[in-house]
Amino acid sequence: MKSDTQHLSPEARITIRTLLLRDIGGLFLAALVAIMAVTMFFGTQGALVVLRENAGNVIHTTARFLEAHMEPARDAAEAIGARVLAEPEPLDPLEVEMTHTAMTLHRQIRGMAFFWTNGRYQIIESNGRSRMETYAPGSEAARVVEEARLAGEPYIARPIFSEVAGTTLVTIRSPVYGDDGTYLGFAASAISLYDLSVFASRVDLVGGQVFVLDDNGYIIAHPKLTDRSVSGMMTSERPLLHASDIGDTILEAFLDPELHEMAELEDGDGIDVLRAEVDGTTYLALTLRIPATLNGDYLVGIYVDENASSYTDMIRYLTYGGLAGLVVMALAMLRLWQLAERIRRPVTELASASNAVAKLDFNDVPPIGGNSVREFNDAASAFNQMVLGLAQFGIYVPRSLVRAILDQAEPSGISSVDREITVLFSDIVGFTTISQSAPAAEIVELLNDHFTLMNDAIEAEGGNIDKYVGDSVMAFWGAPAERVDHAEACLRAVRRIGELLRADNERRQKEGKRVVRIRLGIATGRAVVGNIGAPGRINYTMIGDTVNVANRLEQLGKQIAPDTDLCVLVSKETAEAAGNPPDLEEVGQHELRGRSGAVQVYRLNLDKK
């Protein structure tokens, strides 16, 4: 890769520090001033509004009260139901007493019922009285038992009127299943609308009221339901009342889409704001839907006299503050986007080029262009020079070996290990004679062509070239990454070498050049593999008897087949590790120079398929 310094700016016009101080620092200073001014003005006004009115908190408090009021009833239905329904009916005295104790501890529970799937159910009243009843298939009770089974979890059922209690009750039902998943029935806890309405009546709102409605607009809680003459209007045919039934014309207006409108501001916390005019007075209503029944929600809300609540002021101040904040935020985001783009482009270029370096593809690394920011400019220049140096370094170090070492290396560096590997030694026959008679340029060309051929075949099968020594090549399989087929991979590479050598020699003969004859020695066994050398110059190599055996087998080829273009001798260990392929032929026991004892030697027959 050539240096592309002409793309770099000769002078950096601005530093990153100056850029950040001027742009981001100035931006946030301006934003701070604006926020302080807005906070001082609108905060003062908002504080007055908060002091005068806290309707939103009332709604959430009411919602939390509903949840807290119903939670003990749900827990009692789950806990007691799981125990009771697992046994045959009826409840024993201990279970009746346990149920009565739960209602005593939680006064809002007016009664509990336990329905079995066999057509029987038992009711426990708050005074401790108990009665056993039956229900017929197809009855309302049977439908409710099936409804609980389909629900599969505790739920709030639609309110029902209780003749015994003389009022409408909200029931929380909990289906119960046996250990084997069999549906056993359900337990129910009942809560009175009167109790919920007592809480609603105790909320102190100037010119306002708290209410809770179901999905159809019928009243679940309302201060007027604490009046016995009003609650007495509820019957089994009419278990719930409408706003028109209790004479609340204001709530009636908020329930009629024709008589109210959405206010300019929505709370943003799930609270809707409505406005309606009744008898010349404008009212605001804040409502919040909360999950409640099996098929719907409860609507928790308040309505207040607009003039008494100062909601108009609050909405106006919040609107002004919100608009101002949006404008400041928009300007800040626009400038930050421009700055981010200015930083992103050179960083992206550097990241893309760094990825190519990480893959050791030095020739494909794009040059980094210049930048008006000094630090980016200096980094680009240094990076381009680094790539030039790495490209030169890559010529002398096998990239495949470097990749493998990087994959296996630990934080402290790759360590030496004792491992089974397969080693290959090669040597050009008669190279000494050739080097004495041939011009230097021809020798260099011959070696480069030969080493290219060897390198392509070896790396194609995952091998690593350890070194070139004169006309010899030393390669290995099985390190740095372990592989069980190292011997097979080596033999595949040798077969490929044979094909390439044959084709290359045919070409050389046609061109009138010398043909190349080589000997190969291959051995498999354990060797010490790792970094070996002085601190300033270390090689990733291997030492051991296996290396010596491969070298001596290559030299033994002078005796076994001195006249062939390619002689490949293989140790017994290599043959066995490769599965004794059919193209390996025994050539007997042979003594190897410098090594005691004979070894079994095989020859690879490249003409045998």
Side-chain angles (χ1 to χ4, degrees), residues 44-289:
T44 302
Q45 302 301 325
L48 296 175
V49 173
V50 171
L51 289 174
R52 285 180 291 172
E53 206 60 50
N54 202 0
N57 287 339
V58 172
I59 290 180
H60 288 293
T61 300
T62 304
R64 287 193 294 270
F65 167 78
L66 282 175
E67 295 175 2
H69 201 67
M70 293 183 178
E71 184 175 3
R74 181 176 61 248
D75 293 343
E78 285 189 270
I80 301 176
R83 173 171 177 172
V84 168
L85 294 175
E87 303 293 336
E89 76 287 349
L91 278 69
D92 60 37
L94 179 61
E95 293 170 335
V96 173
E97 181 61 28
M98 177 178 62
T99 305
H100 181 249
T101 300
M103 289 187 281
T104 302
L105 293 175
H106 304 288
R107 293 291 184 179
Q108 66 268 40
I109 304 177
R110 293 303 184 93
M112 295 189 70
F114 305 93
F115 284 72
W116 285 266
T117 56
N118 62 0
R120 295 175 64 82
Y121 65 94
Q122 188 169 357
I123 297 176
I124 311 296
E125 299 177 13
S126 58
N127 57 14
R129 287 198 296 267
S130 169
R131 70 179 189 274
M132 198 77 187
E133 303 285 351
T134 61
Y135 62 89
S139 64
E140 176 63 15
R143 186 197 65 78
V144 170
V145 171
E146 178 63 14
E147 177 186 84
R149 183 187 70 81
L150 295 175
E153 61 183 1
Y155 67 98
I156 300 175
R158 65 174 184 269
I160 57 174
F161 184 81
S162 170
E163 298 289 351
V164 176
T167 187
T168 298
L169 303 174
V170 174
T171 59
I172 301 175
R173 299 169 184 170
S174 176
V176 177
Y177 297 85
D179 294 337
D180 59 354
T182 303
Y183 177 52
L184 304 177
F186 74 89
S189 298
I191 298 175
S192 168
L193 300 190
Y194 175 84
D195 294 332
L196 299 176
S197 298
V198 168
F199 171 79
S201 67
R202 292 174 179 172
V203 178
D204 184 18
L205 283 176
V206 179
Q209 256 348 336
V210 174
F211 57 88
V212 180
L213 309 176
D214 69 5
D215 258 357
N216 297 315
Y218 287 97
I219 296 172
I220 300 297
H222 191 286
K224 287 194 175 183
L225 290 186
T226 60
D227 186 340
R228 293 298 183 182
S229 64
V230 175
S231 61
M233 299 167 60
M234 293 184 289
T235 64
S236 57
E237 290 77 20
R238 187 173 64 170
L240 294 176
L241 302 178
H242 195 270
S244 59
D245 297 324
I246 65 174
D248 191 336
T249 56
I250 300 171
L251 180 57
E252 190 176 356
F254 284 114
L255 294 177
D256 188 344
E258 300 295 329
L259 299 179
H260 73 261
E261 63 180 4
M262 296 295 294
E264 293 87 352
L265 176 68
E266 294 187 10
D267 183 85
D269 192 21
I271 296 178
D272 293 326
V273 182
L274 311 175
R275 177 182 285 109
E277 186 172 330
V278 180
D279 297 331
T281 301
T282 301
Y283 293 88
L284 289 175
L286 281 75
T287 61
L288 173 68
R289 289 192 176 275

Side-chain angles (χ1 to χ4, degrees), residues 142 166 291 297 322 394 523 588 609:
D297 302 331
K609 302 298 183 182

Side-chain angles (χ1 to χ4, degrees), residues 157-443:
R158 65 174 184 269
I160 57 174
F161 184 81
S162 170
E163 298 289 351
V164 176
T167 187
T168 298
L169 303 174
V170 174
T171 59
I172 301 175
R173 299 169 184 170
S174 176
V176 177
Y177 297 85
D179 294 337
D180 59 354
T182 303
Y183 177 52
L184 304 177
F186 74 89
S189 298
I191 298 175
S192 168
L193 300 190
Y194 175 84
D195 294 332
L196 299 176
S197 298
V198 168
F199 171 79
S201 67
R202 292 174 179 172
V203 178
D204 184 18
L205 283 176
V206 179
Q209 256 348 336
V210 174
F211 57 88
V212 180
L213 309 176
D214 69 5
D215 258 357
N216 297 315
Y218 287 97
I219 296 172
I220 300 297
H222 191 286
K224 287 194 175 183
L225 290 186
T226 60
D227 186 340
R228 293 298 183 182
S229 64
V230 175
S231 61
M233 299 167 60
M234 293 184 289
T235 64
S236 57
E237 290 77 20
R238 187 173 64 170
L240 294 176
L241 302 178
H242 195 270
S244 59
D245 297 324
I246 65 174
D248 191 336
T249 56
I250 300 171
L251 180 57
E252 190 176 356
F254 284 114
L255 294 177
D256 188 344
E258 300 295 329
L259 299 179
H260 73 261
E261 63 180 4
M262 296 295 294
E264 293 87 352
L265 176 68
E266 294 187 10
D267 183 85
D269 192 21
I271 296 178
D272 293 326
V273 182
L274 311 175
R275 177 182 285 109
E277 186 172 330
V278 180
D279 297 331
T281 301
T282 301
Y283 293 88
L284 289 175
L286 281 75
T287 61
L288 173 68
R289 289 192 176 275
I290 60 173
T293 65
L294 183 62
N295 298 313
D297 302 331
Y298 279 169
L299 187 70
V300 180
I302 63 171
Y303 63 77
V304 292
D305 183 336
E306 185 178 48
N307 295 324
S309 67
S310 300
Y311 268 107
T312 302
D313 293 340
M314 181 182 70
I315 293 173
R316 183 170 64 251
Y317 296 143
L318 287 177
T319 301
Y320 293 161
L323 291 175
L326 287 176
V327 171
V328 172
M329 182 63 70
L331 293 175
M333 292 304 297
L334 177 61
R335 186 62 187 125
L336 284 175
W337 179 82
Q338 294 172 338
L339 182 61
E341 279 296 299
R342 192 171 181 182
I343 295 175
R344 182 192 63 81
R345 281 190 289 268
V347 173
T348 300
E349 287 184 27
L350 183 61
S352 177
S354 298
N355 286 333
V357 171
K359 297 175 183 177
L360 306 181
D361 296 330
F362 303 121
N363 295 326
D364 295 329
V365 178
I368 305 299
N371 194 281
S372 59
V373 179
R374 178 184 301 165
E375 285 80 355
F376 286 149
N377 194 72
D378 292 345
S381 178
F383 184 86
N384 290 338
Q385 292 299 320
M386 177 195 71
V387 173
L388 282 174
L390 289 174
Q392 293 300 314
F393 174 77
I395 295 174
Y396 300 98
V397 179
R399 298 184 190 181
S400 61
L401 178 60
V402 173
R403 291 190 185 98
I405 290 175
L406 290 176
D407 290 339
Q408 298 294 316
E410 300 173 355
S412 59
I414 194 163
S415 56
S416 298
V417 295
D418 181 75
R419 181 177 296 170
E420 182 178 276
I421 61 173
T422 296
V423 181
L424 176 148
F425 268 90
S426 78
D427 189 57
I428 297 177
V429 177
F431 181 75
T432 301
T433 302
I434 296 172
S435 63
Q436 291 174 348
S437 59
E442 181 181 340
I443 295 174

Side-chain angles (χ1 to χ4, degrees), residues 454-477:
M454 296 286 290
N455 183 79
D456 292 345
I458 291 170
E459 289 196 348
E461 291 297 336
N464 297 296
I465 293 180
D466 179 77
K467 60 176 66 72
Y468 300 117
V469 182
D471 60 314
S472 299
V473 176
M474 177 180 173
F476 60 95
W477 283 259

